[in-house]
Amino acid sequence: MTITTRFAPSPTGYLHVGGARTALFSWLYARKHGGKFILRIEDTDLERSTQASVDAILQGMDWLGLGYDEGPYYQTQRFGRYKEVIQQLLAQGDAYYCYCSKEELETLRTEQMANKEKPRYNGKCREHAVAIEGREPVIRFKNPVDGAVTIPDLVKGEIVVANKELDDLIIARGDGTPTYNLTVVVDDMDMGVTHVIRGDDHINNTPRQMNILAALGATLPKYAHLPMILGADGARLSKRHGAVSVMQYRDDGYLPEALLNYLVRLGWSHGDQEIFSMEEMIGFFELDDVNGSPSTFNPDKLLWLNHQYMMHGDPVHVAKHLNWHIEQLGIDAADGPNLVDIVKAQRERSKTLVEMANASVYFYKEFDAYDDKAAKKAFTAGSEEVLARIYDEFAVVTDWQGGQLHEIIANLAETLSLNMGKVAQPLRVAICGSGVSPAIDVTLSLLGKEKTLARIKRAITYIKK
Ligand code: GLU
């Protein structure tokens, strides 16, 4: 038996971090067992599903690097198959037409509520359905009345639900379209899903789905219901708590593997290890180690992890992601130093790629103005002469590299009896526009001779004014 998992989002919004965690756990479980991971778009709610959401989900999966072995399947392309199964259930006596009107059902509901009973369908049409002219019947599944369903939940432990708690749920609407519980069941059966890993908001559906699967003679999958993700205030994670869309994290300068590493620790642990390579995640992942209680989303920890990944990751890989941000700033990386060198120079001080990109603009593009405070402090009366002397010395350098440039600055400081800062800081503000940059020799060698000389000249003119 091939272990088969699936991620089955409804395309009614962006891919949010909760969905991404479900996808990740399903993906990891399949990868760990050499199994199959399926992507299935549950787009049967035609009013709420949009193509933009489908695109956002596909883009999110792609950015996270969660590749699927099959799919994306679209439920809207499988209506024929659902109809066939509904017919089968009708034919074998496991489903029936129900002609009860909305008003009737509403009255029933009101009565049950008044009697403090759980609202449920009373089964009126189960035995004696009377066709009503002009009314399109819905189709209900004949849920067993006796016995109980035991959910073999790999996270929560066994959950037992008595069948008398479950009413006959609608599997097809009046217009013949199938409902969520039916489509999920048919797909999980047809696609050979062995492990249903999903949010625990679906736990109430599970016994009903298991009963339908049993009626169809399908092998029942195992289930793993993942606990909710909460915000710091204990409420379910939502927009109120900050970014919840996966692509927002890309836009905010996070590396996908940092987000994945953060998400894997939301409800799963392996000793007290915090940082996992993808290979380690796959190797160590066990559903047994998923915690049954909700976990809290902590943006500070995610930021910390991102910085770790930026500092210790392969600079070539980090540079690839940095390039996207550089492009967003309208900069062509070909107009300046190699981004790999930028990553190496900036990664201690930048916690996100956005910070890194913004802090690196001056390497590629002339800055508009000096940072006011930095300029006031560094461009003093004496700094004009300092800059002029540096200009002359730099102008004749043939081998433009850090060590040599550093030596020139150090010698000049000595000659002028100034400390290094008094020379390096005006130079830094002159070439970067602000008082913050990597070490001055690194900054100079990255910037190159031509840009450095032009900017020193610009600073001298500025100070003279
Ligand atoms: N389409 C459902 C949702 O987005 C998930 C169904 C499932 O995983 O069984 O909530």
Side-chain angles (χ1 to χ4, degrees):
M1 177 190 68
T2 309
I3 299 274
T4 304
T5 64
R6 68 350 180 240
F7 175 48
S10 305
T12 54
Y14 43 74
L15 176 62
H16 57 86
V17 289
R21 185 193 57 167
T22 302
L24 172 63
F25 283 20
S26 305
W27 182 89
L28 284 173
Y29 195 73
R31 289 289 169 271
K32 158 127 197 178
H33 294 281
K36 202 158 68 175
F37 173 63
I38 296 173
L39 177 64
R40 182 169 84 216
I41 306 291
E42 304 208 322
D43 54 351
T44 54
D45 185 340
L46 301 176
E47 258 160 44
R48 295 181 60 224
S49 301
T50 64
Q51 186 56 42
S53 302
V54 172
D55 295 343
I57 291 166
L58 299 180
Q59 191 188 27
M61 295 292 283
D62 185 50
W63 182 72
L64 288 169
L66 298 178
Y68 27 94
D69 307 299
E70 272 183 28
Y73 291 113
Y74 293 88
Q75 289 193 321
T76 43
Q77 291 173 7
R78 290 177 44 79
F79 275 152
R81 173 64 183 141
Y82 304 136
K83 282 219 165 99
E84 196 176 281
V85 174
I86 292 166
Q87 286 310 315
Q88 181 191 335
L89 288 168
L90 282 168
Q92 68 190 39
D94 283 315
Y96 61 91
Y97 289 104
C98 169
Y99 293 88
C100 294
S101 68
K102 272 209 175 90
E103 295 70 36
E104 252 176 286
L105 295 174
E106 202 38 58
T107 313
L108 176 67
R109 192 183 151 82
T110 316
E111 277 169 21
Q112 287 170 333
M113 303 274 272
N115 295 336
K116 303 218 167 3
E117 288 167 23
K118 197 166 140 191
R120 61 205 303 279
Y121 180 58
N122 61 5
K124 183 178 164 209
C125 295
R126 185 171 166 127
E127 305 303 337
H128 311 286
V130 182
I132 296 175
E133 266 225 26
R135 190 177 294 163
E136 295 292 353
V138 299
I139 300 172
R140 289 184 185 269
F141 174 66
K142 224 181 227 181
N143 199 78
V145 270
D146 300 321
V149 185
T150 303
I151 310 173
D153 195 291
L154 298 171
V155 171
K156 310 245 173 198
E158 270 189 7
I159 302 168
V160 181
V161 182
N163 272 321
K164 65 173 177 351
E165 295 293 322
L166 310 169
D167 57 0
D168 291 346
L169 93 126
I170 297 175
I171 54 175
R173 300 181 188 92
D175 63 5
T177 56
T179 59
Y180 159 72
N181 279 295
L182 189 277
T183 57
V184 166
V185 158
V186 175
D187 288 350
D188 285 343
M189 175 176 75
D190 287 357
M191 295 170 192
V193 172
T194 59
H195 292 74
V196 172
I197 301 172
R198 62 183 171 195
D200 67 3
D201 48 336
H202 284 289
I203 230 163
N204 286 336
N205 294 319
T206 305
R208 302 167 178 283
Q209 293 179 7
M210 288 173 70
N211 279 334
I212 304 177
L213 282 166
L216 292 169
T219 313
L220 294 181
K222 293 207 163 56
Y223 293 87
H225 287 99
L226 308 176
M228 277 196 294
I229 303 176
L230 309 177
D233 57 358
R236 192 182 178 145
L237 188 69
S238 72
K239 265 194 199 149
R240 269 185 316 116
H241 300 102
V244 283
S245 141
V246 164
M247 296 318 283
Q248 186 64 46
Y249 282 97
R250 175 199 61 180
D251 296 351
D252 290 350
Y254 288 76
L255 286 164
E257 52 276 22
L259 184 57
L260 288 174
N261 193 146
Y262 182 69
L263 291 177
V264 83
R265 288 284 291 103
L266 269 185
W268 173 82
S269 56
H270 181 74
D272 46 22
Q273 186 169 337
E274 288 291 355
I275 299 181
F276 298 87
S277 66
M278 285 317 284
E279 291 70 34
E280 284 178 316
M281 276 190 217
I282 294 170
F284 297 151
F285 188 76
E286 292 290 354
L287 285 169
D288 282 352
D289 295 328
V290 175
N291 195 323
S293 38
S295 31
T296 305
F297 195 86
N298 178 346
D300 294 336
K301 189 165 162 200
L302 173 54
L303 183 62
W304 173 81
L305 259 176
N306 196 56
H307 194 206
Q308 297 301 310
Y309 272 88
M310 286 180 52
M311 281 194 296
H312 307 299
D314 174 4
V316 176
H317 173 77
V318 179
K320 192 186 95 190
H321 287 281
L322 175 64
N323 189 38
W324 186 84
H325 290 277
I326 290 282
E327 280 172 5
Q328 302 310 301
L329 295 174
I331 293 171
D332 183 349
D335 294 339
N338 189 318
L339 285 177
V340 176
D341 296 322
I342 293 287
V343 170
K344 288 182 190 160
Q346 299 277 42
R347 58 183 173 175
E348 293 289 331
R349 72 188 66 234
S350 309
K351 289 198 171 79
T352 68
L353 295 165
V354 166
E355 267 178 47
M356 190 180 269
N358 286 330
S360 305
V361 171
Y362 60 81
F363 286 114
Y364 298 90
K365 200 167 110 171
E366 189 65 63
F367 48 84
D368 294 336
Y370 297 104
D371 172 71
D372 239 6
K373 242 166 125 188
K376 269 203 186 99
K377 206 159 161 220
F379 294 162
T380 53
S383 57
E384 185 193 327
E385 194 205 331
V386 173
L387 288 173
R389 299 274 297 255
I390 298 177
Y391 184 95
D392 290 343
E393 304 229 12
F394 279 1
V396 295
V397 172
T398 48
D399 183 16
W400 189 264
Q401 39 100 357
Q404 187 163 348
L405 302 172
H406 186 266
E407 211 169 297
I408 294 175
I409 300 167
N411 288 341
L412 186 67
E414 209 181 306
T415 316
L416 299 174
S417 302
L418 292 170
N419 65 31
M420 264 297 268
K422 283 269 182 288
V423 179
Q425 204 55 11
L427 178 57
R428 174 173 278 122
V429 179
I431 63 175
C432 308
S434 82
V436 191
S437 83
I440 192 70
D441 47 340
V442 175
T443 309
L444 286 165
S445 67
L446 282 174
L447 192 62
K449 181 170 172 178
E450 204 184 313
K451 281 185 188 141
T452 301
L453 291 178
R455 290 188 193 174
I456 296 176
K457 221 179 217 168
R458 174 181 171 187
I460 293 172
T461 316
Y462 175 87
I463 298 167
K464 271 196 184 136
K465 270 196 211 153

